Amino acid sequence: MSDWDSEKTPEWDDKPVEPRSGRNQPRLPPESGRDWKLIEKLVMSLQSEQRRSRRWGVFFKFLTFAYLFALLVIVWSPFGGGLEATTGKHTAIVEINGPISADELSSADNIVGSLRSAFEQDNAVAVILRINSPGGSPVQSGYVYDEIKRLRDEYPEKKVYAVISDIGASGAYYIAAAADEIYANRASLVGSIGVVAGGFGFTGVMDKLGVERRLYTAGENKAFLDPFSPEQEGEVEFWQSVLENTHKQFIEAVKQGRGDRLANDERLFSGLVWSGEQALELGLVDGLGSASHVARQVVGQEELVDYSRRKGPLRDLVDQLGVSFGQGVASQLVESRLELR
């Protein structure tokens, strides 16, 4: 220690260190007490910081686990059940919204699953199909039509009512025809009992751009109705026969479901669409009214319980972001789909 240090006057809070008993015991300078206090404070602060870091680490781990768990629930539950808790008698509702297609919410699997749940519920006194759809796949519509017929036979005490809001056309009306009775609004669009299939031909554009089509097939009709090849008269005739056969199936299903309630008007099956009032005159519907009206005045059970399957939050978000837009445009350009319209 320097002479300057040894001659320095101690601070007011420094206490001299008393020598311990024993020989050759070194005397500690006054500054040592402050050093130890600083070291002790530093160690304590480090320990406190470590404890705080551990607590935050546990918190963030728990938060991450909760987030992943919620994400798994969303992913593994793409559809939310629409069944509301109830103990009393009620009228079951099954929604059919939007295009009827295997990859849409209004697919046969979803609609049939909802219908079965509604029919199996003892407290459901009747089932209302609330329809707002322009139609879609004849296959999907046919599946639902057949299932409604089967469920009506299995549960004869429960009636099925189809209620059309904005539109119930084509494949949607195909499904409605299986119900005991059909209702609509005066301004609803009803009918369109026909079949349509469409696409595009790109041969003219390809010629202008100098693009050559190279297509290799095994089977003379494997490239049937290829949009990038010239249209063939034989293929068109064959495809027209398919459309007419499907149309005939549609007509037979409507006649079976509606029976003698249909008016004797050849325009019924021409593909025309009618207002609700016109549809009532033609026998396409049985009355005018909403789902609430039917539940209250026809069924006699005003309480409605929705059994429809719905989109989960994740899929709804993806659809809102428009991820499927490009795919939809591409499929419309290159595919020729068979639809009831």
Side-chain angles (χ1 to χ4, degrees):
M1 183 178 294
S2 65
D3 294 339
W4 185 86
D5 289 333
S6 63
E7 294 176 359
K8 183 179 177 182
T9 303
E11 297 293 336
W12 65 271
D13 60 343
D14 289 338
K15 295 180 181 179
V17 180
E18 296 294 334
R20 297 181 183 179
S21 60
R23 293 178 300 176
N24 301 325
Q25 182 67 33
R27 180 184 294 271
L28 295 176
E31 288 83 352
S32 299
R34 287 187 301 175
D35 294 342
W36 282 109
K37 287 180 180 179
L38 290 174
I39 293 173
E40 183 180 3
K41 288 181 180 180
L42 179 60
V43 171
M44 294 298 293
S45 64
L46 288 175
Q47 290 178 344
S48 177
E49 185 66 27
Q50 288 178 349
R51 286 194 296 268
R52 191 180 302 111
S53 298
R54 284 197 296 268
R55 286 195 297 268
W56 279 109
V58 172
F59 171 75
F60 283 114
K61 287 178 181 178
F62 174 78
L63 193 63
T64 302
F65 174 78
Y67 174 79
L68 293 175
F69 179 77
L71 188 61
L72 285 174
V73 170
I74 291 173
V75 171
W76 290 102
S77 302
F79 298 101
L83 179 58
E84 302 172 5
T86 183
T87 56
K89 299 293 184 180
H90 59 271
T91 301
I93 287 282
V94 174
E95 302 271 3
I96 301 178
N97 287 317
I100 300 169
S101 175
D103 54 358
E104 296 286 345
L105 185 59
S106 292
S107 66
D109 288 341
N110 291 331
I111 297 172
V112 167
S114 302
L115 284 169
R116 289 175 180 172
S117 298
F119 272 93
E120 292 169 0
Q121 176 57 248
D122 293 335
N123 288 330
V125 298
V127 179
I128 292 179
L129 289 168
R130 187 156 54 191
I131 298 173
N132 186 18
S133 170
S137 165
V139 176
Q140 298 290 306
S141 301
Y143 284 157
V144 179
Y145 179 96
D146 293 339
E147 183 63 15
I148 292 173
K149 290 288 190 181
R150 187 191 71 79
L151 290 170
R152 285 178 57 188
D153 291 339
E154 185 175 350
Y155 300 90
E157 73 283 0
K158 292 186 180 181
K159 284 195 172 185
V160 183
Y161 301 91
V163 178
I164 297 170
S165 55
D166 293 305
I167 182 170
S170 196
Y173 187 79
Y174 192 156
I175 293 174
D180 292 281
E181 295 178 10
I182 303 176
Y183 291 81
N185 184 269
R186 292 188 298 272
S188 300
L189 297 178
V190 183
S192 186
I193 303 173
V195 184
V196 63
F200 293 88
F202 298 96
T203 52
V205 175
M206 293 169 62
D207 291 340
K208 290 181 179 180
L209 296 176
V211 178
E212 180 184 358
R213 173 65 163 165
R214 295 176 181 177
L215 181 64
Y216 311 100
T217 65
E220 57 180 331
N221 293 312
K222 190 59 181 177
F224 178 72
L225 296 180
D226 175 52
F228 300 101
S229 301
E231 198 172 50
Q232 303 295 325
E233 183 178 352
E235 294 179 352
V236 175
E237 291 178 357
F238 176 81
W239 189 232
Q240 185 61 41
S241 69
V242 173
L243 299 181
E244 291 175 356
N245 181 261
T246 306
H247 189 204
K248 184 184 297 184
Q249 297 170 11
F250 191 178
I251 294 172
E252 290 176 356
V254 173
K255 286 183 175 180
Q256 182 181 358
R258 301 299 296 164
D260 56 8
R261 288 174 287 186
L262 292 172
N264 186 18
D265 192 325
E266 59 184 15
R267 298 177 301 164
L268 280 177
F269 309 115
S270 66
L272 289 174
V273 64
W274 317 88
S275 71
E277 284 186 335
Q278 292 172 316
L280 180 61
E281 296 175 0
L282 293 169
L284 293 172
V285 302
D286 299 285
L288 301 177
S290 63
S292 298
H293 168 81
V294 173
R296 182 174 57 254
Q297 302 296 334
V298 181
V299 179
Q301 191 58 246
E302 188 172 2
E303 182 182 5
L304 297 174
V305 177
D306 193 348
Y307 286 75
S308 309
R309 295 186 179 183
R310 304 189 183 281
K311 289 182 182 179
L314 182 61
R315 181 170 178 182
D316 190 47
L317 176 62
V318 170
D319 289 346
Q320 289 180 12
L321 292 175
V323 173
S324 59
F325 176 76
Q327 180 182 1
V329 171
S331 64
Q332 288 294 323
L333 288 175
V334 301
E335 293 182 10
S336 178
R337 292 199 220 178
L338 178 63
E339 293 185 355
L340 298 179
R341 290 185 186 173

